[in-house]
Amino acid sequence: MIDLFTVFTNKKTVVIINNEHKFNIGRGDSMVQMLKDDIADKIYCSAIDEFYERGYKSTPIRDIAKGAGVSVGLIYTYYENKEALFEAVVKPTYLLIKSILSTINNTGNPPFENFVLKKEMQFIVDLLRHKRKQVLILIDKSSGTKYENAKEEIIDLTKVHIQKHLRKRIKNSSIIDDVFYHILANNFLEGVLEIARHYKNEEWANNMVELLSKQYFYGINFLVK
């Protein structure tokens, strides 16, 4: 079973699996990670707010500059273009989600309920608490960028996990079409995203994720009876 522990800090995300430091993901590319001054921080935070409110296509650089209290020209000394700034905002979260799901899919044969009811659910709660806007920007606001298909990629990884564990428990799994597994994965992700969109506080998110997990697990449990 995966022993997953995630540490979120202001400028980076550290993921530790089985007490080993697996990867350390900063806010964006190497240039952004090296920036230590307040201007870079203001640009980054303003970009999150603007992309979250309007999405990539509808956010002009001048509005990000205004929110950061800097000139448009100064932004271009830190980022080549708007796309590079967008990538700095979403890439760490994108890599983190894909890495966690890939690790879960490639780690032994943990019981399916461990994924939907136990430690991995804490990862979702932590992600929503610390990176909620980045998650929603990645999924809902990335049209026109190379991340616009991120949702389908995450669904596909979730689908692999569901297939892997349900097929071992269903007596006649061959009668279930792959589309059904896709529906299960899509519905679960949509549930998580709805929690993110209506986020109130950590306690509320904990309760909602627990309810979603139990409903999801016990709802599909009829398949293995």
Side-chain angles (χ1 to χ4, degrees):
M1 183 177 72
I2 294 176
D3 182 13
L4 178 65
F5 180 67
T6 308
V7 179
F8 291 92
T9 68
N10 187 39
K11 293 188 177 181
K12 62 185 178 181
T13 301
V14 177
V15 176
I16 300 172
I17 299 174
N18 293 330
N19 297 318
E20 295 182 8
H21 184 180
K22 289 295 185 182
F23 45 88
N24 184 332
I25 303 175
R27 283 183 168 177
D29 57 29
S30 58
M31 181 182 73
V32 177
Q33 293 175 25
M34 291 187 292
L35 295 175
K36 303 296 184 182
D37 55 80
D38 290 339
I39 293 176
D41 190 66
K42 289 177 181 178
I43 293 171
Y44 176 81
C45 292
S46 178
I48 290 176
D49 290 340
E50 294 297 329
F51 287 138
Y52 177 73
E53 290 297 326
R54 306 185 190 185
Y56 174 78
K57 284 185 176 180
S58 300
T59 299
I61 283 287
R62 65 176 178 274
D63 286 357
I64 295 174
K66 182 178 179 180
V70 301
S71 67
V72 171
L74 188 57
I75 288 183
Y76 286 116
T77 66
Y78 291 101
Y79 300 93
E80 182 179 356
N81 48 40
K82 185 173 76 168
E83 185 177 0
L85 179 50
F86 186 84
E87 180 158 1
V89 168
V90 302
K91 183 178 180 179
T93 300
Y94 170 77
L95 292 178
L96 176 61
I97 293 171
K98 288 193 67 176
S99 296
I100 292 299
L101 288 174
S102 296
T103 300
I104 291 171
N105 288 339
N106 295 326
T107 303
N109 297 304
F112 180 67
E113 54 268 32
N114 285 347
F115 175 69
V116 295
L117 293 178
K118 297 185 179 180
K119 289 186 177 181
E120 286 72 22
M121 288 300 97
Q122 187 58 46
F123 165 71
I124 293 177
V125 174
D126 289 342
L127 188 68
L128 295 182
R129 180 159 65 97
H130 296 280
K131 303 288 184 180
R132 181 181 68 88
K133 286 187 176 181
Q134 289 92 322
V135 169
L136 291 176
I137 291 169
L138 175 67
I139 301 299
D140 292 340
K141 317 280 187 174
S142 60
S143 178
T145 76
K146 67 181 183 181
Y147 295 98
E148 62 185 1
N149 295 318
K151 181 178 180 180
E152 283 302 314
E153 293 178 32
I154 294 170
I155 289 173
D156 286 343
L157 285 171
T158 306
K159 172 187 168 184
V160 169
H161 184 78
I162 293 171
Q163 285 177 314
K164 179 179 178 180
H165 296 288
L166 278 186
R167 281 178 172 172
K168 294 177 181 178
R169 303 177 65 184
I170 299 174
K171 292 181 179 179
N172 191 9
S173 62
S174 61
I175 66 173
I176 299 180
D177 192 280
D178 279 357
V179 174
F180 181 72
Y181 294 112
H182 183 276
I183 291 171
L184 290 178
N186 180 75
N187 288 348
F188 185 76
L189 178 59
E190 275 300 323
V192 172
L193 292 174
E194 280 299 295
I195 294 172
R197 293 172 187 131
H198 300 280
Y199 189 89
K200 295 181 180 179
N201 53 56
E202 185 178 3
E203 181 180 0
W204 178 87
N206 265 306
N207 291 335
M208 292 297 290
V209 169
E210 182 178 1
L211 287 172
L212 175 67
S213 302
K214 288 181 177 179
Q215 181 275 330
Y216 181 77
F217 174 68
Y218 292 115
I220 64 174
N221 204 37
F222 79 94
L223 292 171
V224 300
K225 291 182 178 180

